[in-house]
Amino acid sequence: MKLLTANRLIDGEVVWLAADGSWVETIEGAEIAHDKDAETRLSAAGLLALANNEVVDVNLIDVEIVDGEIRPIRLRERIRALGPTTHINLGKQARKQTAAFG
Amino acid sequence: MYRYDEFDHDFVKARVAQFRDQVERRLSGELTEDQFKPLRLMNGVYLQLHAYMLRIAIPYGTLSPRQMRMLAHIARTYDKGYGHFTTRQNIQFNWPALSDIPQILEDLASVEMHAIQTSGNCIRNVTADHFAGAAADEVADPRPYAEILRQWSSVHPEFSYLPRKFKIAVTGAERDRAAVQVHDIGLHLKKNEKGELGFSVYVGGGLGRTPMVGKKIREFLPEEDLLSYTTAILRVYNLHGRRDNKYKARIKILVHETGTEELKAQVEKEFEALRNGELQLSDADIAAIQAYFAPPALPARPEGDAALAKAAARDAGFADWLRRNLHTHRNADYAALTISLKGIGEIPGDASADQMDAVAELAERYGNDEIRVTHEQNLVLPHVARADLKAVFDRLVEIGLATANAGLVTDIIACPGLDFCALANARSIPVAQQISTRFGDQKRQEEIGDLKIKISGCINACGHHHVGHIGILGVEKKGAELYQITLGGSGDENTSIGEIIGRGFGPDEIVDAVETLVETYIDHRQGREETFLDAYRRLGPAPFKEALYGREAKAA
Ligand code: HEM
Ligand code: SF4
């Protein structure tokens, strides 16, 4: 299983490609590629977005589903999805907390 | 400190305008990422895991209160309320939007700062002893020479596209606090028998994947020849450095492959052709720059010691801090003091905007308007009257910066690692935080004594692990973090590269492993005056290996 991820050009925000072709800020919204065809389609969309100067550093990453949630295989990608483990008040994890409490 | 003249102001302003235009063209799509990347790197802009990162130069680690306040302003306005001070006497902001960076650079230019040459294959920010101009043991202030090198190297047309990055460090004391022997060029400012100033020149030191101790190729280079000789070294490197392989492109590899004697001969030959030419520094040139670094007028304050003794008797925390965080000043009524950015369990090198403002205010009130950033990721107030130390300490307590741990086991250097860095294999900062928490007890750390732990999240060695008394290197093994330990490294006048002690440790084991090493040292030391490093040099790795792996070794 794979997802397409990148950083948004204008502010560097970590984003994933969603099924509707938009780049979303939380991993839950990402489109999962379950087979080679879907991977090829995601990669092509990534190249296009790069060429259109929407995003930079585009990568296809491996994920699994754990307890119904998307979990990247590599620690690096898990940290990108949440924010630095050293500053839990920063990054996406902080926004989630605010949302949960708000 | 150095002040920009009209030329400097115009130059930096023009550069900001140029970069503003480049960013606009990137955002409009006129420039592709491939075209833009080298341009942004020349202005200190990286892309990390979560966001862009901006690296700002703090030349030879010297900051004015006004500049520190601007860093606080940037942290608050464009970033997330803090900055990260690094081993290269820079500051990094981890969250700026690309679209804001031109404005940040403009704000910086208003206080005579920039991010030029903080990245790329050029001569980087020149670093120096953080106690320069204050230390009792120094021959002369190394910063005027660092400034001369900085001016000479800024957008130097011949040396802007070197095979790889190039780092120069300068110290003015026998006790090397600038780690000059692990830089591409290390300069040790000294006096000859006639009392003239000059430099011992080391070349080819470095860390990264191939750590090397610099080789001394000149015992004494007269100060007037500083630029001619440096140019000669850079020319030889620029011509022969390995452009075919980026991992072999540093000058350390050239020195290693060419041999020190042959390389030295090539440098001397080039130098002969250059010396007494236009690069020769006249006394007037040097004096003009030295004038900017004139020592502050320090009025006599002899009342200090009595006041200190009294205050220390009443306040044990203050007494601890006096013991650890002071450095002997050339004026006996004054001290250079270390502001630890290593609170127990906290992130090495981070400072909040409020802390930056508070330090700026302390420097104005008590510190003759000077602040330093150390390569050990701490701050320094170099000129504080001993009589004012209690007032400074009390304020540091209020802002959470009074940790009395300079040089102790919790004064850890750590690179950003996998929490921020796109090149990382493992996290560094959480390891530092856990070690700090484990050894946080003041009595215990002081009992252990001087001990430098340095942590890098990959082989690039930004956390200087090779020269840690205990070095920790994060690697990735089968998708998990693993930490390799090296012992016996040191980045001072007796520089040595640490040796790998054995198999690595998982994130849940590494702190216990460090504790085992520390306990082993305590068991074996000849007394408190024998430091960890001295004990390791005397004992070798055997007892430490035995303690870490003994049981396994026997079972196998
Ligand atoms: C966060 C983004 C960073 C990136 C992408 C980065 C990248 C690198 C790379 C690629 C090298 C190896 C260069 C070579 O061997 O030719 C290196 C070395 C180094 N970096 Fe960084 N670094 C980063 C952050 C830092 C920080 C935060 C510090 C200071 C704490 C730092 C200080 C150093 C030092 C001291 C070296 C060793 C120099 C040597 O090779 O002798 N870097 N860095
Ligand atoms: S040592 Fe590696 S992980 Fe650490 S900052 Fe440098 S490049 Fe990143």
Side-chain angles (χ1 to χ4, degrees):
Chain A
M1 266 181 280
K2 292 187 195 283
L3 310 179
L4 194 73
T5 186
N7 292 79
R8 198 159 54 205
L9 172 66
I10 190 165
D11 58 1
E13 178 80 31
V14 178
V15 287
W16 295 267
L17 189 66
D20 66 359
S22 66
W23 291 92
V24 292
E25 293 187 15
T26 51
I27 196 167
E28 291 79 19
E31 177 182 9
I32 302 176
H34 291 278
D35 56 35
K36 267 267 166 291
D37 283 353
E39 285 175 24
T40 311
R41 195 164 37 75
L42 286 188
S43 297
L47 283 178
L48 194 66
L50 188 67
N52 286 338
N53 305 306
E54 293 167 45
V55 292
V56 289
D57 205 13
V58 185
N59 284 299
L60 209 51
I61 59 162
D62 291 309
V63 296
E64 56 187 353
I65 304 291
V66 179
D67 297 333
E69 295 200 12
I70 298 175
R71 183 177 188 272
I73 303 283
R74 290 189 69 198
L75 178 60
R76 176 187 205 271
E77 293 302 325
R78 295 203 292 280
I79 289 174
R80 284 181 78 245
L82 288 172
T85 66
T86 47
H87 296 72
I88 50 172
N89 57 328
L90 299 179
K92 296 173 191 291
Q93 56 201 354
R95 280 176 246 164
K96 268 187 205 160
Q97 281 164 7
T98 323
F101 291 119
Chain B
M1 63 191 285
Y2 183 73
R3 297 303 311 260
Y4 281 12
D5 61 16
E6 208 173 313
F7 172 84
D8 298 328
H9 274 295
D10 290 347
F11 167 70
V12 173
K13 242 197 242 157
R15 181 67 176 247
V16 172
Q18 183 188 47
F19 190 59
R20 187 183 285 283
D21 176 61
Q22 288 162 344
V23 169
E24 277 164 16
R25 282 154 63 210
R26 175 71 187 110
L27 293 178
S28 74
E30 200 182 316
L31 291 177
T32 65
E33 186 60 15
D34 286 346
Q35 290 167 328
F36 181 65
K37 190 174 171 185
L39 302 176
R40 71 165 157 77
L41 287 174
M42 284 179 194
N43 292 284
V45 183
Y46 285 73
L47 181 66
Q48 298 210 80
L49 292 182
H50 312 286
Y52 291 97
M53 178 270 276
L54 177 63
R55 181 184 286 165
I56 298 164
I58 300 173
Y60 32 88
T62 295
L63 269 180
S64 70
R66 183 162 151 262
Q67 292 173 324
M68 184 66 116
R69 284 208 167 85
M70 181 54 79
L71 296 177
H73 165 77
I74 289 167
R76 256 186 218 113
T77 313
Y78 308 100
D79 210 82
K80 302 216 183 253
Y82 74 102
H84 182 72
F85 289 98
T86 80
T87 55
R88 301 222 64 260
Q89 298 182 316
N90 292 312
I91 185 169
Q92 297 187 172
F93 288 106
N94 285 316
W95 305 89
L98 179 59
S99 49
D100 282 338
I101 291 177
Q103 192 54 47
I104 298 177
L105 294 178
E106 195 162 318
D107 289 358
L108 282 172
S110 73
V111 294
E112 307 181 7
M113 293 181 82
H114 61 66
I116 298 165
Q117 287 179 214
T118 59
S119 175
N121 296 333
C122 53
I123 300 171
R124 302 287 190 89
N125 187 31
V126 178
T127 53
D129 182 354
H130 41 264
F131 293 128
D137 64 346
E138 119 185 327
V139 168
D141 190 337
R143 291 173 304 159
Y145 304 94
E147 175 58 27
I148 289 170
L149 287 166
R150 184 173 81 96
Q151 295 193 7
W152 158 82
S153 66
S154 293
V155 295
H156 192 301
E158 189 178 340
F159 304 136
S160 289
Y161 294 91
L162 293 168
R164 199 73 184 86
K165 60 168 93 165
F166 202 91
K167 300 178 178 177
I168 305 178
V170 200
T171 177
E174 283 299 324
R175 272 222 37 217
D176 175 12
R177 290 173 288 261
V180 304
Q181 293 178 39
V182 290
H183 285 75
D184 297 281
I185 294 179
L187 297 169
H188 173 194
L189 180 62
K190 50 157 69 164
K191 280 192 177 146
N192 66 7
E193 321 75 65
K194 289 190 226 144
E196 297 157 340
L197 281 171
F199 303 90
S200 283
V201 182
Y202 295 84
V203 57
L207 302 172
R209 72 183 58 223
T210 322
M212 302 258 185
V213 178
K215 312 289 183 293
K216 195 192 277 185
I217 59 168
R218 255 295 177 132
E219 184 56 43
F220 189 84
L221 177 78
E223 57 175 347
E224 63 186 32
D225 294 328
L226 176 64
L227 294 185
S228 319
Y229 200 79
T230 316
T231 300
I233 295 173
L234 262 301
R235 284 211 169 146
V236 169
Y237 168 57
N238 206 12
L239 187 62
H240 298 298
R242 296 275 304 265
R243 288 174 190 267
D244 60 316
N245 179 340
K246 104 172 183 187
Y247 299 120
K248 298 197 169 172
R250 297 287 293 271
I251 194 173
K252 63 190 171 189
I253 304 292
L254 181 68
V255 175
H256 183 70
E257 290 182 349
T258 313
T260 307
E261 283 312 309
E262 170 59 21
L263 185 110
K264 179 178 163 174
Q266 291 174 7
V267 170
E268 290 288 338
K269 185 163 168 238
E270 196 66 46
F271 173 56
E272 274 314 313
L274 285 165
R275 81 189 301 178
N276 306 328
E278 61 175 10
L279 287 170
Q280 186 176 34
L281 293 167
S282 69
D283 289 348
D285 293 335
I286 297 173
I289 298 295
Q290 272 167 342
Y292 288 110
F293 297 89
L298 301 175
R301 296 287 300 276
E303 76 278 23
D305 282 332
L308 283 189
K310 227 194 230 162
R314 277 199 306 264
D315 180 343
F318 181 52
D320 295 340
W321 185 80
L322 290 180
R323 253 196 324 279
R324 288 308 314 183
N325 290 32
L326 296 195
H327 189 84
T328 311
H329 199 281
R330 58 186 158 68
N331 182 322
D333 292 349
Y334 287 76
L337 65 90
T338 298
I339 300 176
S340 169
L341 297 181
K342 318 288 177 67
I344 301 307
E346 288 178 19
I347 295 168
D350 272 13
S352 71
D354 291 347
Q355 288 174 330
M356 291 183 215
D357 277 339
V359 169
E361 193 186 327
L362 283 173
E364 279 164 353
R365 280 189 69 179
Y366 303 109
N368 288 283
D369 290 334
E370 270 207 45
I371 304 160
R372 305 286 171 77
V373 179
T374 82
H375 82 272
E376 299 190 314
Q377 298 182 283
N378 291 315
L379 300 176
V380 160
L381 298 182
H383 311 287
V384 178
R386 295 176 69 83
D388 293 331
L389 286 172
K390 183 67 165 76
V392 173
F393 174 77
D394 288 345
R395 180 69 184 130
L396 290 174
V397 170
E398 284 171 12
I399 58 171
L401 292 180
T403 314
N405 63 349
L408 292 176
V409 57
T410 59
D411 187 3
I412 301 168
I413 293 186
C415 80
L418 192 53
D419 285 297
F420 292 97
C421 176
L423 304 176
N425 291 322
R427 286 172 293 167
S428 319
I429 297 171
V431 176
Q433 290 175 292
Q434 288 164 38
I435 294 172
S436 169
T437 304
R438 179 74 62 93
F439 291 101
D441 179 68
Q442 187 70 25
K443 252 212 180 110
R444 185 177 184 200
Q445 342 188 15
E446 288 201 46
E447 180 59 33
I448 296 165
D450 287 357
L451 174 49
K452 292 184 195 289
I453 298 184
K454 306 187 193 241
I455 310 175
S456 305
C458 82
I459 195 62
N460 286 328
C462 305
H464 292 189
H465 68 276
H466 297 296
V467 290
H469 303 166
I470 299 177
I472 299 177
L473 165 65
V475 298
E476 184 177 353
K477 197 169 175 193
K478 296 190 186 133
E481 293 165 300
L482 191 76
Y483 296 93
Q484 241 173 34
I485 295 179
T486 50
L487 294 181
S490 178
D492 55 13
E493 61 283 1
N494 298 308
T495 292
S496 54
I497 303 294
E499 299 160 332
I500 296 177
I501 186 85
R503 71 160 176 86
F505 296 88
D508 301 334
E509 303 167 324
I510 181 67
V511 182
D512 289 339
V514 170
E515 190 163 36
T516 300
L517 292 169
V518 171
E519 294 298 328
T520 306
Y521 151 65
I522 301 271
D523 289 347
H524 285 80
R525 70 182 176 187
Q526 288 173 333
R528 285 190 63 164
E529 55 306 323
E530 189 181 40
T531 62
F532 182 94
L533 183 63
D534 290 340
Y536 180 81
R537 284 178 173 165
R538 175 174 60 84
L539 293 160
F544 297 95
K545 255 190 193 150
E546 168 73 20
L548 283 179
Y549 307 110
R551 242 176 308 146
E552 270 169 48
K554 277 182 200 128

